[in-house]
Amino acid sequence: MIVRKSNSLNAFVILCMVMLLSVLLTGCQRIGGASPKTQSQSTTKQVSNNSSFKFYFGDVDQSAGIISAPVIISNSGKQDMTLVSKNFSLDIDGNRVKLLHVPGEANDFHVNMNSGDNWSNVISFYVGGRLSNADISRMKMIYTTDDGVEHVASNVSASKLNSILGNDSGDDSSSENTISSYYQNMKNYLKEQKENNSSSGGNTDSVNSLKDEFNDSKYDHLRTWMVVSYKDPSTVLIKVLNETNTDFTFNLNNLEFVDSSGEETKVASDYSSFQIDLLHGKSTTVVVPLESKLSKSNAPYQVKLLSDDNSSSDSDNDDNYFSTSATPYPIELAMNNATDYSSVFQAQPDELNDSSMQWGKGKISWSNDTLSISVSLSDVFSIKNDFTKYKLVGIERDGTKGDVESATDGAPSKVDNSQPADLKIKFSNLKNLKTYKKIYLQYGSKTLTRIK
C-alpha cells in the first residue's frame, strides 16, 4: 500500500528540488527534507513506550531516489485500531519525508486492525537521491498516531522479520485475489471469449461480461510496469495501477525474470516472503532487490508469475510459471539508465516492448532524404530519442539484409504518452534504398516497423 504515480513530472521535479534544497540547508545532503512545518512539529512529539503497538522494518532497498522496506505492525493490545498512510514518515537527523507520492495520484490508505492482528507490506519513501550507509544507520521509520505520539520502528534482520511474520508468510497462492490469479483469470477469460465467438458465429450474447464473470465491470483495468536501471541492476522498480473495483495482493515470491538463455532471476530472500497490497483505485510503487543482477547483454527478459493452477498446461508455462503476454495489458519491463523517478519511465525505443508503441505508415522523401512517421504510446512510458540510432534497412529478395542507412538528425527528441507525435528523421543519402521492395525502420538492433 504505497502510492500512485502519473506523468506529472514537472510538478514532481519541482517538489523534489524544494525537498532537496531543504535538506542542504539543514546539513543532511542525501535525503529530501520535510517542510518547515513538519520539522518544527517533530521537536514536540512524544515517543511512545506502548508495548501493545509493535512496529518493525527490515533491510532497505533503494533506486531512482526511492527507498523501500518491508514492514510489520502488530496490534497486541485489547483495542482495535486503524492505520492511516499519512501518519508514516522517514526521519534522518530531523529531516522528514512522507510516503512516496506523485502529484495527481492517490496513494492514501486506511487499514483496520483488530486486536491481535498483524499487518505486513512493503512501503516506500522518495528521498531525492541515494542514501549512504551512514544515512541508513541513522534513519528512523516512524508512525505517528493522531494524538501526536510517535512509534519508532525497530530495524531487524530478515530472519527476525520472517519469524515475526510467522504464518502470514506471504504465500498467498491459495487466495483468489492475487496478482497471479488476476492475470490467469484475464488470460482464461480472453481465451473463452475467442472460443465462444468462434463457436457462436460472433454472437456476443454467449460471452459473459466482466461483471458476470468477476463481479467487477472494471476488472480489466489493471496495469503493471517494471523498470530495472543499469545503475542499480539488482533492483527492480514495480509500479501497479489498479483501477479495478477489486483489491489484490502481489506475492513477491511469485515473480521471476527469465533471460534470453532461460536463466531465471527471482526476488531476493529478504523480500520474497512479503506481499504488496494493491488497493482498488490506487497506484503502488516499490523498489525490490533481486537475487542477482539483470544484464543488458542477456536481454530481453520475460516477466513470469507463479501459476495458482498447478495443473495448467499452457505452452508458455515452465515449472508452473507463466507469461502475461496473452492478457489485455501484459506486464511491461524496461531497462534504462534512470537515476531518479522523474526519468524512470523515459526510455529509448529499443528499451520498450513492441506493444507499447504504435507506429503509423512511414513516408520517405527521396528528394530530401527524410522519413516522416507517426508514433503513439499506449502506456506510462515516454520516448527519449537518439536519432543517430535510427536506421533504414533494405531487405534483399532472398530475405537477407541489404543496404543500411543511419540517420543523422531528427525531431522531436522526446515523445510523451499524451498524444501521437510526428517524427521527421533525416538521413545523409537514401538513394541506395530506392530500389528495395522491402524497407524496415530500426532503432539500434531492434526492428520497429516496416516502411515499404
Side-chain angles (χ1 to χ4, degrees):
M1 304 176 178
I2 321 296
V3 285
R4 178 165 182 169
K5 313 253 163 234
S6 74
N7 284 324
S8 306
L9 293 181
N10 289 335
F12 186 79
V13 170
I14 292 172
L15 175 62
C16 298
M17 292 176 65
V18 172
M19 292 169 66
L20 185 58
L21 178 59
S22 175
V23 169
L24 292 173
L25 292 175
T26 55
C28 178
Q29 297 182 4
R30 291 186 177 271
I31 182 169
S35 68
K37 179 178 179 181
T38 304
Q39 291 173 358
S40 64
Q41 287 178 337
S42 68
T43 62
T44 63
K45 300 296 183 183
Q46 295 182 344
V47 177
S48 172
N49 293 317
N50 182 0
S51 60
S52 65
F53 186 99
K54 302 291 188 181
F55 186 10
Y56 309 92
F57 74 98
D59 293 339
V60 302
D61 193 36
Q62 55 182 324
S63 184
I66 296 170
I67 187 166
S68 296
V71 298
I72 298 175
I73 290 180
S74 300
N75 178 19
S76 57
K78 296 181 179 180
Q79 302 295 322
D80 297 346
M81 62 177 296
T82 301
L83 293 178
V84 183
S85 56
K86 68 178 182 179
N87 292 343
F88 287 91
S89 60
L90 193 69
D91 181 290
I92 296 180
D93 299 333
N95 300 293
R96 297 200 175 187
V97 292
K98 295 292 188 179
L99 288 179
L100 172 63
H101 173 67
V102 175
E105 297 189 356
N107 73 307
D108 56 297
F109 61 81
H110 296 73
V111 180
N112 295 320
M113 295 185 66
N114 296 326
S115 175
D117 280 354
N118 285 341
W119 175 76
S120 63
N121 203 359
V122 178
I123 63 176
S124 299
F125 303 85
Y126 180 77
V127 296
R130 190 166 189 87
L131 300 185
S132 67
N133 290 336
D135 291 333
I136 293 173
S137 68
R138 299 192 308 274
M139 185 181 75
K140 295 179 182 178
M141 197 172 295
I142 298 169
Y143 184 84
T144 306
T145 52
D146 291 337
D147 58 3
V149 177
E150 293 182 345
H151 301 268
V152 180
S154 299
N155 183 208
V156 298
S157 66
S159 59
K160 174 67 173 176
L161 206 62
N162 284 330
S163 68
I164 297 169
L165 199 60
N167 293 330
D168 300 325
S169 62
D171 183 6
D172 57 4
S173 60
S174 62
S175 171
E176 62 180 12
N177 287 337
T178 66
I179 195 79
S180 295
S181 66
Y182 171 80
Y183 280 105
Q184 282 182 305
N185 288 342
M186 287 308 304
K187 189 174 183 178
N188 293 336
Y189 179 74
L190 290 184
K191 183 179 180 181
E192 291 171 3
Q193 272 191 319
K194 185 177 180 179
E195 291 173 351
N196 288 341
N197 281 334
S198 177
S199 61
S200 64
N203 181 11
T204 57
D205 292 338
S206 63
V207 179
N208 284 340
S209 67
L210 291 170
K211 178 70 173 177
D212 293 335
E213 190 78 12
F214 306 111
N215 197 31
D216 185 348
S217 60
K218 298 173 64 179
Y219 195 78
D220 59 344
H221 286 47
L222 185 144
R223 302 289 301 273
T224 305
W225 301 276
M226 299 184 183
V227 180
V228 174
S229 171
Y230 300 127
K231 306 296 184 181
D232 298 301
S234 58
T235 292
V236 59
L237 183 146
I238 302 173
K239 174 176 178 174
V240 182
L241 176 60
N242 181 8
E243 293 186 322
T244 72
N245 295 315
T246 306
D247 294 339
F248 295 96
T249 58
F250 196 144
N251 179 10
L252 293 174
N253 196 42
N254 287 358
L255 173 65
E256 72 173 17
F257 302 88
V258 183
D259 69 14
S260 56
S261 64
E263 190 73 21
E264 301 165 356
T265 302
K266 297 185 179 182
V267 171
S269 58
D270 292 358
Y271 280 61
S272 60
S273 295
F274 281 81
Q275 63 186 33
I276 306 166
D277 292 337
L278 308 173
L279 299 182
H280 70 278
K282 310 295 181 180
S283 180
T284 301
T285 300
V286 298
V287 293
V288 172
L290 303 174
E291 61 184 5
S292 60
K293 296 178 181 179
L294 300 193
S295 170
K296 187 175 185 179
S297 61
N298 293 331
Y301 285 84
Q302 273 191 304
V303 180
K304 290 191 173 184
L305 300 174
L306 180 62
S307 173
D308 290 346
D309 179 8
N310 293 333
S311 64
S312 175
S313 59
D314 290 344
S315 59
D316 64 350
N317 187 302
D318 181 17
D319 292 331
N320 297 322
Y321 280 84
F322 70 98
S323 167
T324 63
S325 58
T327 62
Y329 301 109
I331 295 176
E332 300 273 0
L333 173 66
M335 301 181 72
N336 56 35
N337 288 307
T339 57
D340 186 80
Y341 180 79
S342 60
S343 59
V344 160
F345 295 105
Q346 291 181 2
Q348 297 188 41
D350 59 346
E351 297 170 335
L352 297 178
N353 290 344
D354 293 337
S355 59
S356 301
M357 304 173 288
Q358 290 76 48
W359 295 91
K361 186 175 181 180
K363 182 178 181 180
I364 296 175
S365 172
W366 301 107
S367 59
N368 294 323
D369 296 312
T370 59
L371 169 67
S372 299
I373 190 168
S374 64
V375 61
S376 58
L377 305 175
S378 60
D379 61 27
V380 71
F381 289 97
S382 60
I383 287 179
K384 185 178 180 180
N385 284 313
D386 176 355
F387 281 98
T388 62
K389 293 185 177 181
Y390 280 101
K391 305 172 186 176
L392 285 176
V393 180
I395 302 299
E396 303 285 1
R397 293 181 183 274
D398 61 1
T400 59
K401 183 182 293 187
D403 286 299
V404 178
E405 297 295 337
S406 296
T408 58
D409 199 1
S413 60
K414 293 183 180 180
V415 178
D416 63 32
N417 58 9
S418 61
Q419 59 185 5
D422 295 320
L423 303 186
K424 290 193 179 298
I425 307 174
K426 179 69 176 176
F427 299 83
S428 58
N429 194 330
L430 294 178
K431 65 179 182 180
N432 290 336
L433 291 174
K434 198 168 186 179
T435 59
Y436 283 92
K437 299 295 185 180
K438 292 182 180 180
I439 300 175
Y440 286 86
L441 177 66
Q442 289 187 344
Y443 191 93
S445 60
K446 181 183 178 71
T447 299
L448 301 177
T449 188
R450 182 174 175 176
I451 301 300
K452 179 182 176 184

